[in-house]
Amino acid sequence: MQAAIYVRVSTEDQARHGYSLAEQRDACHRRAVSLGVASVLAFADEGVSGALLDRPGLNAMREAVREGQVDIIILRDPDRLSRKLAHQLLLTEEFEKAGVRLDFLDFTWQDTPEGKLFYSIRGAIAEFEKEKIRERMTRGKTQKARQGGIPIGFYNYGYSYDPETGKVSVLEEEAAVVKNIFRWFIEEDLGVNGVAKRLNEQGIPTRKKKNPWHRMVVRQILTNPAYKGLWKYKGIDIPVPAIIDPDTWNKAQEKLKEARRLWAGKSRQEYLLSGLVTCADCGNTMTGVYAKWWGVKDRRYTCRKHFQGTKNSGCRPVKMILATPVEEVVWEQVCSWLQDPDSLVTATIEASPQVEEVRGELQRIERHLKEVEKGREAVLEALAAGLLELDAQTKNKLGELKRRKERLEQRQKELAATLQGIEGAAGKLVEFRSLAQEVLAKLDDLNFAEKKALVRALVAQVVISGRVSPGKHGLTGVNVTVLARVSEPGKAGNITIN
Ligand SMILES: [Zn+2]
C-alpha cells in the first residue's frame, strides 16, 4: 500500500494556534506506520491560504493520484485540502473516484459545524449515487424482462432457474407437489392450513429443507400466477412453463376470496375484542374461538395458534378464557370512562408523545435545513467560481439537495401539527365531554357493531395473564388489564381485576 500524506499550514494558523508543519507531518507519519504502509509520499504547502486551489504541494499530490501512485491519503482533516466546502467536496470526490481512500486523523473534526455539513453533503451525494446505481440496475433488469429473458430472482417452488442463461424449467418432483396443493385445496376442501398440515405430515420438504410448511407459503403458491404460465415482473407478463391449467388456478382464487369473506364476517359478528386481546404469558394475540372446553361449548379467547409452521404456538397447556366475562369487564371500563370523561382525557394527555421530544426533533430539523441550504450555496458558489461545471451530475446533486430540503420541510410541518395537537389536547376535553354525554344516553341501544366501534375508539389493548384453574369458573385466577388508547401500562385509566 502506498500512502500520501498532505500537510498545510497557513500563516494565520501558525500565528493563532501555533500549529507547525512538523507536528502535522509527525502525526501523519505515525498514522501511516500504524496502518502498516510500505512507503510514504509527503506533500506540503506552507504559508498558503486554503482558499486557493492552486497550491504547489496539492497540485503535485493530485498529479500523483492521477498517475495511480497513491492508495491512501492521510491528513489531519478535510480543512487541510481547502477552507472552502465546495473545494473539499470536489477534491474528495476526485480522490475517491481514483480509488484512493482518505484517512482523517482528527475525528473530533466531524463534530464541528463544518464537519457535520461536510458529512451531510457527502452523505447526500453518496445516497444519490447509490440511487443512481440502483435505478440503472432496475432498468437493466426490466429491459431484460421485456426482451423475454428472465431477470434475476425467479426462484419459485416447482421450477429450476439458471441465472447464467435465464432459462426456467419445471422440476417434476416439486411440480407434483404444487399440483397436489391445488387439488387438495379445491377438491378436498382442506383449507390453506389443512394443506400445510398435510404437507408436513407427509414429510414433504420445503425449499429451505429445515422449515416446515407455513400457511403463508401455501397461500403464496396458490396465488402465484407463474403456475398458470405467466410470471409477473414489474407489470410485465413473462411466459414460463405452466404447471396448473388456468381454469384450476382461477378456481383456487375464487375459493380463497370466499374463505376470506366468511372468516371476516364471522369474527366481526361474534367477538367484541378481536385483535385487541394479548396474552401476557406468551405474547400472542388471543383470537376468538367457538370451542368445546371441559365439556362446555362456548365463545372463548385463546392464545393457541394451531396453524402449521407458526413461530409461537402459544401457552401450554392450552389457554382458553371465556369471552363473555372478559367482554363485560372491558365494556364496563368503557362505560365508566364515558361517565367520567375527565379521567380518560387526563390519562390521554399524560401519556401522549412527549412535548419535549417533539420540540427537540423540530430544532434538529431546523438546524439540518440550514446545513442543507449552506450546502446548496456552496455548490452554487463553486459553480460561480468555475470550479464545477453545470453538467448532468451537478444538476442532479442540486436536485438531490432540493429534494432533501423538501423532505425536511415536510417533516417539519408534520411535527408542528403534532405539537399543536398535543398542546390542544386540553381543549378537546369539552368536545369529548359532550360526545360522552351523547353516547351515554343511548348506550343500551347500541348494536354490536356500534359497541365494537366504541371499544376500538377507546381501548388500545386488553392484556390477559394467568389461567382459569380446573373446576373454577368465569375469570377466577385471571388478570384482565384494559389499556386506554393512548395511555401506557401503569398510568391512570387502567384497571386490573382478579
Ligand atoms: Zn399465552
Side-chain angles (χ1 to χ4, degrees):
M1 189 163 62
Q2 270 276 23
I5 62 179
Y6 178 73
V7 294
R8 179 180 70 79
V9 185
S10 64
T11 353
E12 200 190 32
D13 276 339
Q14 273 171 324
R16 201 191 297 169
H17 307 288
Y19 289 147
S20 79
L21 225 47
E23 262 173 330
Q24 269 186 56
R25 195 179 284 133
D26 285 350
C28 289
H29 268 290
R30 276 197 299 277
R31 177 78 185 161
V33 170
S34 79
L35 287 171
V37 166
S39 66
V40 172
L41 296 165
F43 302 94
D45 284 308
E46 190 171 11
V48 187
S49 163
L52 297 171
L53 258 192
D54 188 16
R55 279 167 264 152
L58 182 64
N59 288 345
M61 183 165 76
R62 289 171 82 182
E63 189 59 38
V65 168
R66 269 196 290 276
E67 286 171 4
Q69 297 175 22
V70 180
D71 299 307
I72 181 172
I73 295 174
I74 301 169
L75 63 169
R76 200 177 70 197
D77 54 48
D79 250 28
R80 297 307 97 204
L81 293 173
S82 171
R83 254 178 35 208
K84 287 194 175 170
L85 180 72
H87 296 186
Q88 289 174 6
L89 291 168
L90 186 88
L91 289 167
T92 47
E93 202 174 337
E94 177 181 310
F95 295 147
E96 282 172 6
K97 275 220 173 103
V100 176
R101 194 159 67 83
L102 286 153
D103 190 82
F104 302 125
L105 293 183
D106 189 358
F107 279 101
T108 56
W109 181 86
Q110 289 181 21
D111 297 326
T112 64
E114 294 81 11
K116 278 184 187 153
L117 178 58
F118 176 79
Y119 281 105
S120 71
I121 292 180
R122 293 277 309 155
I125 292 170
E127 201 44 56
F128 160 72
E129 245 137 39
K130 247 190 282 165
E131 197 51 52
K132 221 166 47 179
I133 290 167
R134 204 161 24 226
E135 189 196 286
R136 248 201 311 268
M137 280 179 61
T138 315
R139 227 181 313 151
K141 277 195 226 169
T142 314
Q143 216 162 26
K144 212 171 163 191
R146 272 187 214 288
Q147 289 160 1
I150 306 285
I152 52 159
F154 186 86
Y155 296 108
N156 290 301
Y157 186 85
Y159 296 98
S160 71
Y161 166 69
D162 182 351
E164 297 285 307
T165 61
K167 196 172 147 38
V168 171
S169 42
V170 173
L171 273 178
E172 288 308 332
E173 208 171 308
E174 287 185 2
V177 176
V178 173
K179 281 179 193 158
N180 275 338
I181 291 175
F182 275 83
R183 198 165 50 79
W184 294 340
F185 183 70
I186 295 169
E187 289 168 26
E188 295 190 33
D189 224 355
L190 279 188
V192 174
N193 205 43
V195 171
K197 198 171 166 202
R198 184 178 283 179
L199 289 164
N200 288 329
E201 277 166 5
Q202 296 191 353
I204 295 164
T206 53
R207 262 282 159 87
K208 293 173 189 160
K209 308 280 183 222
K210 270 181 275 171
N211 297 9
W213 288 90
H214 190 281
R215 60 209 285 265
M216 286 309 291
V217 177
V218 173
R219 184 179 291 279
Q220 273 159 17
I221 287 178
L222 286 168
T223 54
N224 189 344
Y227 296 116
K228 62 167 178 174
L230 275 184
W231 191 47
K232 292 225 175 282
Y233 183 78
K234 292 194 188 286
I236 303 163
D237 285 335
I238 300 165
V240 292
I243 293 176
I244 302 295
D245 67 85
D247 267 3
T248 309
W249 192 85
N250 289 338
K251 259 184 219 155
Q253 308 317 303
E254 272 306 306
K255 225 179 159 90
L256 280 166
K257 223 188 275 170
E258 207 178 298
R260 254 194 308 270
R261 253 198 315 268
L262 277 177
W263 195 85
K266 200 158 116 196
S267 88
R268 195 163 40 238
Q269 278 162 23
E270 296 182 355
Y271 295 90
L272 185 69
L273 309 173
S274 50
L276 291 178
V277 190
T278 305
C279 171
D281 301 317
C282 69
N284 270 348
T285 35
M286 297 184 78
T287 42
V289 282
Y290 187 67
K292 207 175 210 174
W293 189 248
W294 294 96
V296 184
K297 211 163 187 195
D298 209 334
R299 292 160 58 253
R300 293 184 166 84
Y301 289 98
T302 183
C303 54
R304 178 102 177 92
K305 300 274 178 269
H306 53 274
F307 44 76
Q308 296 290 304
T310 187
K311 279 209 187 83
N312 181 357
S313 59
C315 288
R316 299 246 176 206
V318 174
K319 187 160 143 184
M320 291 279 184
I321 308 291
L322 273 177
T324 308
V326 176
E327 288 169 359
E328 278 169 6
V329 165
V330 175
W331 183 244
E332 265 168 43
Q333 178 60 63
V334 167
C335 293
S336 86
W337 277 336
L338 287 168
Q339 269 148 11
D340 182 13
D342 296 28
S343 69
L344 182 65
V345 174
T346 313
T348 303
I349 293 171
E350 276 173 12
S352 53
Q354 304 302 308
V355 178
E356 285 319 305
E357 277 172 31
V358 178
R359 287 219 179 98
E361 195 186 341
L362 253 178
Q363 278 166 4
R364 276 197 299 281
I365 292 225
E366 274 154 20
R367 272 203 303 274
H368 228 107
L369 263 171
K370 270 188 205 140
E371 284 173 4
V372 170
E373 193 41 47
K374 259 202 251 170
R376 260 170 66 80
E377 277 167 15
V379 176
L380 292 173
E381 184 196 317
L383 278 171
L387 291 160
L388 275 176
E389 275 173 47
L390 190 60
D391 53 9
Q393 207 181 4
T394 313
K395 272 187 203 157
N396 281 330
K397 242 176 251 175
L398 283 168
E400 167 59 27
L401 285 169
K402 187 162 167 258
R403 280 190 293 280
R404 221 174 129 88
K405 189 175 162 210
E406 284 164 359
R407 278 199 299 273
L408 286 168
E409 279 167 349
Q410 176 60 29
R411 181 77 186 131
Q412 190 180 32
K413 238 185 262 170
E414 284 167 17
L415 284 171
T418 307
L419 197 60
Q420 214 178 7
I422 298 169
E423 287 167 343
K428 286 206 178 117
L429 181 61
V430 183
E431 213 177 292
F432 181 69
R433 215 180 265 139
S434 71
L435 172 84
Q437 252 154 16
E438 196 186 312
V439 178
L440 210 53
K442 51 181 183 184
L443 212 52
D444 296 329
D445 299 328
L446 296 180
N447 65 27
F448 184 82
E450 288 167 330
K451 276 188 179 177
K452 196 163 174 178
L454 188 58
V455 168
R456 245 145 238 280
L458 302 183
V459 175
Q461 210 182 15
V462 177
V463 183
I464 295 183
S465 64
R467 59 171 63 243
V468 183
S469 321
K472 302 276 183 176
H473 302 284
L475 296 177
T476 318
V478 175
N479 282 319
V480 180
T481 306
V482 187
L483 302 179
R485 192 137 252 298
V486 248
S487 83
E488 288 162 354
K491 289 258 163 78
N494 301 340
I495 58 152
T496 299
I497 67 148
N498 275 299

